[in-house]
Amino acid sequence: GFLEDGILVQDVSRTRRHYLGSWTFPWDVMAVLPTELLCLLPGVPRVPGVPAARANRCLRVPRLLEAFDRCETRTGWPNAFRMAKLMLYLLLGIHWHGCLYFALSAHLGLGIDPWVCPSFTQLLRRYLHSFYFSTLVLATVGDTPAPQHEEEFLFLTAGFLLAVLGFATITGSISTVIVNLSATDAAFYPDARPVRRYLRARSMGGRLAGRVVRWHQHLRAQRKLPAEREVLRHLPQGLRAEVAASVHLAALRCVGLFRSWEHGVLRQLVLRLRPQVFGPGEFVCRRGDVGREMYFIREGRLAVVAEDGVTQLAVLGEGLYFGEISLINIKGNMAGNRRTANILSIGYSDLFCLGKEDLAEVLAEFPCARAAMEAKGRELLLRMGQLDTRAEAAALAAEAEAERRLQGLEVALEGLQRRAARLLAQLEASALRMALRIQHLE
């Protein structure tokens, strides 16, 4: 296929016309012409072993490089592909150098001195000796016989210079691959070394540093990606929502609050969620803290503990959510925007975090979800004795009074609007009569 306005066209007839009209068609035709048949003609010279007429096959090099580039951008293991391509170039360079060495040896005479290729009877032995000699030269080992002729000196010197250049190129390529591996790793997972150095500088190593290291190891082992927003920030919003939904939508549907929500709504919600991972014995929130987020449990178990931090009052599992009481305005809530419970992670827990502003936007768009959250929060507050029923009744009465007053204001506003409309009509009629009188007087 070919790209047209950024879209891959795979229609056979259109692809044929596009290819026949491109510059690559005559180039490919010249590359595949069977020119080696010319060697069958009498009197045509040939290089020993391989017909020189096959040199037109080198015209396929641009196609080969294009295929390498496409494979490198499409494969799931680009660094392994780069290493394999580098080894291929290395073996090919040694092969070509061995062929030149054998051609020079054949020109000088096989076996005339220790430097040239010996006159083996088997062609395979000649090739293996030439390949071995080229490997010694290009690997800068230097364990080769001393040259005897000027051509041998020049060939060996050129080989050593080429080996130095090739060694520098290979070293740089391998370093680039290693740096790319580290950069790719750092793009997904945070680096634990700065935190460890900070703890050592503050003389706070030991158990705390071990917890930090184990947390990072868990992220890598379970393929948790805390830097998800940074990875997806360059994508357009629609594609970003599609990618995030394909990754998290199945887990999001396990939450009881979202099971009845539409697919499009969840796609917009998933962009506001931030994945967070808590380690064993780590408090997600403490009672009395100011609440700024609510959490949805994706994986793991969390315990609601008493003030001693040990006694478990309840265990929360996958699909549940908590922390919404301090974010939504429940009438009669004596805790206000403070946390009402201590939540402790039993093991490693994978949670979705939703900020207060994002939650307000979601609940404003979906009143059914607000009603469900308020009902659950009221039940929990009533069970914990944190709900003032008299204050709730007073708030409901105040809200009803405010609603009544608002309706009265709306009725009064409608009356004022009608009076203003009548006055405006009277003013326009008076202006028209005045204009007619002025015209009559003129």
Side-chain angles (χ1 to χ4, degrees):
F2 64 97
L3 293 178
E4 185 177 64
D5 297 331
I7 301 175
L8 182 63
V9 177
Q10 293 182 319
D11 183 69
V12 177
S13 60
R14 294 181 61 186
T15 302
R16 184 188 301 114
R17 289 195 301 268
H18 180 270
Y19 176 61
L20 294 178
S22 64
W23 65 270
T24 55
F25 173 68
W27 191 272
D28 292 340
V29 169
M30 289 187 293
V32 299
L33 288 176
T35 52
E36 63 269 16
L37 297 178
L38 298 175
C39 298
L40 301 178
L41 300 176
V44 177
R46 64 184 67 184
V47 177
V50 179
R54 289 181 58 87
N56 67 320
R57 296 295 187 271
C58 295
L59 297 177
R60 300 289 289 176
V61 170
R63 284 294 195 182
L64 179 66
L65 298 179
E66 181 184 357
F68 281 168
D69 291 338
R70 293 194 179 188
C71 290
E72 185 173 337
T73 55
R74 286 166 172 79
T75 181
W77 306 90
N79 292 312
F81 182 80
R82 293 189 191 104
M83 292 297 297
K85 185 173 66 173
L86 186 63
M87 294 301 298
L88 176 64
Y89 288 159
L90 183 62
L91 294 175
L92 190 61
I94 295 175
H95 166 76
W96 283 348
H97 189 269
C99 292
L100 293 176
Y101 165 74
F102 181 77
L104 180 61
S105 300
H107 174 71
L108 297 176
L110 298 177
I112 61 171
D113 57 45
W115 190 87
V116 299
C117 180
S119 56
F120 295 115
T121 56
Q122 297 181 357
L123 183 61
L124 179 61
R125 290 294 302 272
R126 296 180 180 181
Y127 176 74
L128 292 178
H129 178 83
S130 302
F131 194 88
Y132 173 73
F133 182 88
S134 297
T135 303
L136 294 179
V137 173
L138 297 182
T140 64
V141 175
D143 190 15
T144 57
Q148 306 295 328
H149 300 83
E150 290 80 359
E151 296 88 345
E152 298 173 358
F153 277 106
L154 292 175
F155 184 82
L156 196 59
T157 303
F160 281 134
L161 293 177
L162 183 64
V164 172
L165 178 62
F167 182 77
T169 303
I170 293 171
T171 305
S173 301
I174 295 177
S175 302
T176 303
V177 171
I178 295 175
V179 169
N180 289 338
L181 284 173
S182 303
T184 304
D185 220 23
F188 289 97
Y189 304 103
D191 191 2
R193 289 174 295 182
V195 181
R196 296 173 61 184
R197 287 195 295 266
Y198 171 76
L199 292 176
R200 284 198 301 267
R202 297 293 181 177
S203 301
M204 296 293 293
R207 188 178 62 87
L208 189 57
R211 287 180 59 188
V212 173
V213 172
R214 286 193 296 272
W215 184 79
H216 284 83
Q217 290 175 349
H218 173 78
L219 290 183
R220 296 174 183 271
Q222 300 298 323
R223 297 182 179 273
K224 307 295 184 182
L225 306 178
E228 191 173 88
R229 287 194 172 187
E230 288 75 10
V231 174
L232 303 179
R233 69 182 185 274
H234 299 295
L235 296 177
Q237 186 174 5
L239 185 57
R240 193 189 317 153
E242 196 70 30
V243 172
S246 64
V247 175
H248 298 306
L249 198 58
L252 204 59
R253 288 195 181 276
C254 295
V255 180
L257 182 65
F258 303 136
R259 285 173 184 167
S260 60
W261 287 22
E262 297 178 358
H263 180 76
V265 176
L266 294 179
R267 281 183 54 191
Q268 296 301 320
L269 177 66
V270 78
L271 289 176
R272 296 183 170 96
L273 298 175
R274 299 191 306 271
Q276 290 187 358
V277 179
F278 292 87
E282 186 176 355
F283 278 92
V284 180
C285 60
R286 293 178 180 269
R287 184 175 182 178
D289 293 345
V290 177
R292 295 183 177 88
E293 304 94 6
M294 70 170 298
Y295 299 92
F296 304 92
I297 304 176
R298 181 183 180 185
E299 293 178 2
R301 294 187 305 149
L302 297 101
V304 182
V305 297
E307 294 298 330
D308 57 3
V310 178
T311 306
Q312 294 186 5
L313 305 178
V315 176
L316 306 178
E318 178 181 342
L320 300 179
Y321 60 94
F322 61 92
E324 78 284 359
I325 297 178
S326 57
L327 300 185
I328 58 180
N329 184 21
I330 299 178
K331 299 174 182 62
N333 182 10
M334 294 186 294
N337 63 343
R338 301 285 179 173
R339 300 292 190 188
T340 58
N342 300 312
I343 307 296
L344 179 72
S345 178
I346 298 176
Y348 284 98
S349 303
D350 190 2
L351 309 178
F352 285 129
C353 174
L354 184 63
K356 185 174 183 178
E357 294 78 9
D358 295 330
L359 177 63
E361 293 180 6
V362 172
L363 296 183
E365 296 177 3
F366 310 106
C368 296
R370 171 182 285 278
M373 281 190 177
E374 288 182 353
K376 179 195 172 185
R378 186 181 183 281
E379 181 183 352
L380 290 176
L381 289 174
L382 194 61
R383 191 184 308 165
M384 294 184 298
Q386 294 287 331
L387 184 65
D388 189 352
T389 54
R390 289 181 296 180
E392 182 185 15
L396 289 174
E399 184 177 352
E401 178 66 19
E403 183 67 23
R404 185 184 63 80
R405 291 185 177 183
L406 182 59
Q407 290 178 357
L409 289 175
E410 289 178 351
V411 171
L413 181 59
E414 290 178 358
L416 290 174
Q417 287 176 347
R418 287 195 297 269
R419 291 182 60 187
R422 287 198 299 266
L423 291 174
L424 183 59
Q426 292 174 3
L427 179 61
E428 291 178 352
S430 300
L432 180 59
R433 288 196 299 270
M434 182 63 69
L436 292 175
R437 290 181 63 187
I438 292 174
Q439 184 179 2
H440 177 70
L441 289 174
E442 288 177 349

